[in-house]
């Protein structure tokens, strides 16, 4: 029976079920005898440094030498020291390692092309809808995917832009809600785009233009690489 370790940090208090779902789907299809061990932290949630340190201690629990492969999803680790330590331990294990959504040196990588996807969104707004002035709302610059989607600098001059490009659907919905409180609505006053194709983008009124990002597929491909 082979053993695979999935090391991941939650999105604040949320657990990302897409990763194990995609991994287990590939294991089942291949009819392989593989056990998946999940080491998940919520060390990026609290403002209490002691709490976060305790959460991140789960990454010290596994003896990686007992595993046959490792899958990492480290995009949300808030501590640079913890991130560096997890990467170091994975490299020192000399096992095959797949990194999801974060291109790390010496590891296999699976994820979408954030750069091209965001470039296509902006091109659509410019070429199809004739938008010429953009605001771009992004996440933390330490987040790999967020930084890859960062396509330009914003020049704020106290006027509404033609389009607001948001780093994800959650931000896009939040922008729409905040704008509504100030008497502005999309798309009448400005156009808006999201990223990830969450349900809320489709069900929101008006529905939000977004980019499909099926995380289960990334995890599925990562497990496929390990099995091969």
């Amino acid at each position: 029976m082979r053993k695979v370790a999935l090391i991941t940090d939650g999105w604040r208090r949320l657990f990302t079920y897409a990763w194990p779902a995609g991994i287990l789907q590939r294991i089942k299809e291949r009819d392989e005898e593989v056990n998946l061990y999940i080491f998940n932290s919520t060390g990026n949630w609290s403002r209490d440094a002691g709490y976060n340190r305790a959460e991140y201690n789960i990454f010290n629990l596994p003896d990686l030498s007992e595993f046959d492969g490792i899958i990492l999803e480290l995009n949300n680790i808030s501590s640079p020291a913890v991130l560096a330590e997890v990467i170091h331990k994975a490299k020192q294990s000399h096992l095959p390692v797949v990194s999801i959504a974060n291109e790390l040196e010496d590891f296999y990588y699976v994820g979408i092309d954030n750069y091209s996807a965001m470039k296509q969104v902006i091109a659509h707004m410019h070429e199809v809808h004739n938008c010429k002035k953009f605001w771009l709302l992004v996440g933390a610059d330490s987040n790999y995917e967020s930084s890859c989607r960062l396509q330009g600098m914003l020049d704020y001059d106290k006027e509404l832009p033609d389009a607001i490009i948001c780093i994800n659907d959650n931000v896009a919905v939040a922008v729409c809600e905040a704008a509504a409180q100030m008497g502005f609505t999309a798309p009448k006053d400005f156009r808006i785009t999201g990223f990830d194709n969450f349900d809320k983008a489709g069900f929101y009124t008006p529905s939000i233009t977004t980019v499909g990002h099926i995380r289960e597929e990334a995890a599925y491909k990562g497990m496929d690489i390990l099995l091969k």
Side-chain angles (χ1 to χ4, degrees), residues 74-217:
L74 308 178
N75 255 356
N76 295 299
I77 291 180
S78 59
S79 166
V82 170
L83 176 63
E85 180 65 14
V86 172
I87 293 172
H88 174 73
K89 287 183 176 180
K91 288 183 178 182
Q92 290 297 107
S93 73
H94 302 295
L95 297 172
V97 180
V98 175
S99 176
I100 297 176
N102 194 338
E103 197 166 358
L104 300 173
E105 186 178 2
D106 298 328
F107 298 154
Y108 295 103
Y109 166 70
V110 291
I112 67 170
D113 187 342
N114 290 281
Y115 181 95
S116 295
M118 185 61 87
K119 192 173 182 179
Q120 290 178 49
V121 168
I122 297 174
H124 175 79
M125 285 296 170
H126 176 65
E127 297 168 9
V128 177
H129 298 290
N130 199 35
C131 295
K132 294 183 173 64
K133 182 178 179 181
F134 297 88
W135 287 357
L136 182 60
L137 300 186
V138 301
D141 57 9
S142 59
N143 183 288
Y144 178 82
E145 288 193 308
S146 175
S147 63
C148 285
R149 297 173 193 171
L150 184 58
Q151 302 303 306
M153 300 298 294
L154 302 178
D155 184 14
Y156 176 66
D157 61 2
K158 298 185 179 179
E159 295 179 2
L160 280 177
D162 299 319
I164 300 178
I165 310 299
C166 298
I167 202 64
N168 58 46
D169 296 333
N170 292 325
V171 172
V173 169
V175 168
C176 289
E177 292 293 306
Q181 294 178 15
M182 294 183 286
F184 299 108
T185 60
K188 181 174 71 72
D189 297 305
F190 60 90
R191 297 184 183 275
I192 191 163
T193 66
F195 207 105
D196 291 327
N197 196 23
F198 290 152
D199 289 345
K200 65 177 61 180
F203 292 128
Y204 191 77
T205 302
S207 60
I208 294 172
T209 298
T210 187
V211 176
H213 184 191
I214 304 174
R215 289 175 167 79
E216 288 85 351
E217 290 184 357

Side-chain angles (χ1 to χ4, degrees), residues 59-74:
F59 297 150
N60 296 320
L61 181 61
D63 179 354
L64 296 180
S65 66
E66 297 179 352
F67 291 85
D68 299 286
I70 302 168
I71 297 177
L72 302 176
E73 198 284 303
L74 308 178

